[in-house]
Amino acid sequence: MSRHPETDEGKAMSAVKLNDITISYDDIGHGEDVLVLLHGHPFDRSMWRPQCDALGGKRWRLIVPDLRGYGESTVTPSTTTLDMLAHDVAALLDHLGIDAAVIGGLSMGGQIVMAFCHLYPQRVRGVVLAATFPQAETDDGKQVRNTMADRLLRDGMEGYAAEVLPRMVAPRTLAARPDIAAHVLGMMRGAHPIGAAAALRGRAERPCYDAVLSALPVPALIVVGDEDAFTTRADAERMHTLITGSTLVWMPGVGHMPNLEHADAFNAALESFLLTFGSAPT
């Protein structure tokens, strides 16, 4: 394991070899309660910067990895399934000596959360599902994802990133917050096409997670923007209905990146949710 110096904010940037790959991650704060945040496609852990800044000095310890194939973590070819990514998260928690955590994710990250809940239910204290949905991929969707994977391997990320940016963030975000648009665009351009393609192929094979959500015995926060091009109000209500006692936050004027587009409101909802937890069991 290589470890970089800790910053003044208590943020340690680290990398560790697990499951035959290197996972890079931020380890922020010193609390006994742990929140894991998983990024979406084709992003990296920097998408959670507003949440790390807001929560880093408080009660919660934040573990924020670059997923396999993204950011500073190892890129693996072929197909990266959601189960593989969930196993990587579990291995990272094992390495850090963390038995259980609240685990959250956005888009693909949210689907990894669902896979983690299926594989490691005893390790989940609560979930945060942002801009995501539990349905299995359709036959048409499988074709679209595999065709896009072929395109990324052939042409790289540049054209795709420019094309999809207006679907990732709401029009008002593009107009009023060029800094956020630039951050999202930069993450997409910086993603490795091999890693992004492998994850697309893996998501094409994802199962339906309805049964996983309906069996969840833990608190859940669901956050969706009303201008999300990928997650609908029906998707949000579906998850809210499936998870007993879940909290649904519907954000007006927000696209697929609520944690960036309306960080203050997202952070307020997240902090309110985290306040419902008692101290981690010893």
Side-chain angles (χ1 to χ4, degrees):
M1 169 182 159
S2 64
R3 189 170 179 89
H4 299 277
E6 196 168 278
T7 68
D8 291 340
E9 293 77 21
K11 174 178 176 180
M13 296 167 286
S14 303
V16 60
K17 188 168 185 180
L18 302 165
N19 294 343
D20 296 321
I21 64 167
T22 297
I23 298 176
S24 294
Y25 63 97
D26 291 332
D27 185 350
I28 304 165
H30 306 285
E32 293 182 359
D33 297 294
V34 178
L35 171 65
V36 179
L37 293 173
L38 306 179
H39 64 77
H41 161 92
F43 308 127
D44 56 57
R45 70 186 192 267
S46 73
M47 66 160 279
W48 295 113
R49 192 178 300 148
Q51 289 66 55
C52 294
D53 290 345
L55 294 172
K58 299 184 179 179
R59 162 186 152 191
W60 288 78
R61 177 184 178 189
L62 276 63
I63 307 299
V64 190
D66 279 334
L67 299 168
R68 174 193 296 253
Y70 295 93
E72 298 174 326
S73 292
T74 299
V75 173
T76 55
S78 187
T79 300
T80 301
T81 66
L82 297 172
D83 280 3
M84 290 171 62
L85 293 165
H87 287 312
D88 288 344
V89 174
L92 178 59
L93 294 182
D94 288 342
H95 167 74
L96 295 171
I98 297 169
D99 294 327
V102 175
I103 181 167
L106 181 141
S107 192
M108 178 182 74
Q111 291 169 342
I112 299 166
V113 170
M114 298 178 213
F116 190 95
C117 289
H118 172 65
L119 295 167
Y120 303 98
Q122 74 283 359
R123 306 191 72 167
V124 181
R125 296 184 65 204
V127 298
V128 180
L129 300 171
T132 193
F133 50 86
Q135 298 94 307
E137 189 57 272
T138 63
D139 288 340
D140 287 345
K142 290 179 182 181
Q143 183 175 350
V144 168
R145 290 192 188 278
N146 283 303
T147 298
M148 180 58 70
D150 292 339
R151 174 188 168 184
L152 296 185
L153 292 174
R154 181 183 67 246
D155 300 334
M157 299 299 296
E158 188 74 24
Y160 165 80
E163 178 182 300
V164 79
L165 179 64
R167 301 184 69 202
M168 289 295 185
V169 298
R172 69 186 68 187
T173 303
L174 285 173
R177 293 298 305 274
D179 56 324
I180 291 174
H183 182 195
V184 174
L185 183 62
M187 287 190 291
M188 294 193 292
R189 284 175 169 169
H192 199 296
I194 292 176
L200 281 171
R201 297 195 198 283
R203 287 179 79 194
E205 301 304 321
R206 73 180 184 274
C208 178
Y209 291 109
D210 281 7
V212 174
L213 297 186
S214 64
L216 274 182
V218 297
L221 172 66
I222 301 162
V223 184
V224 179
D226 71 346
E227 295 187 29
D228 192 324
F230 302 97
T231 304
T232 66
R233 180 65 183 253
D235 294 328
E237 295 288 358
R238 180 192 188 110
M239 293 185 290
H240 185 39
T241 300
L242 286 167
I243 306 173
T244 302
S246 58
T247 299
L248 172 59
V249 176
W250 186 246
M251 288 192 174
V254 171
H256 195 56
M257 307 292 292
N259 71 302
L260 290 174
E261 294 182 69
H262 204 337
D264 288 346
F266 186 95
N267 290 346
L270 180 58
E271 291 194 58
S272 178
F273 174 69
L274 294 177
L275 284 173
T276 65
F277 291 86
S279 297
T282 57

